Amino acid sequence: MRLQIDSDRCQGHGRCYDLAPDVFGEDEDGYAVLLVTGPVPPEREDDARLAAANCPEQAIATVEEA
């Protein structure tokens, strides 16, 4: 699984980095950034999905890999 953040949709609510601090961080303005480059480690996938599901702007996409 990989993640993508739509920076045009992100409003900086911070739920993603509160729910999955090993996967998401924040930039100097409080907007979400990915801390994981490449595939999300299997042990972090549940947290990443939870964070994506709780984004009020739906700015986080999960991309499943075959």
Side-chain angles (χ1 to χ4, degrees):
M1 176 179 92
R2 292 179 184 268
L3 297 169
Q4 297 173 339
I5 297 174
D6 183 339
S7 58
D8 291 333
R9 294 179 101 171
C10 179
Q11 297 295 306
H13 294 285
R15 291 182 185 168
C16 57
Y17 45 84
D18 285 343
L19 292 169
D22 294 334
V23 180
F24 298 95
E26 62 182 304
D27 67 11
E28 61 277 353
D29 296 318
Y31 295 101
V33 296
L34 290 173
L35 301 179
V36 174
T37 57
V40 175
E43 65 273 11
R44 300 288 181 241
E45 286 184 0
D46 288 343
D47 289 343
R49 284 188 183 94
L50 179 66
N54 280 277
C55 178
E57 308 303 334
Q58 298 178 340
I60 303 167
T62 57
V63 180
E64 299 297 332
E65 298 180 320

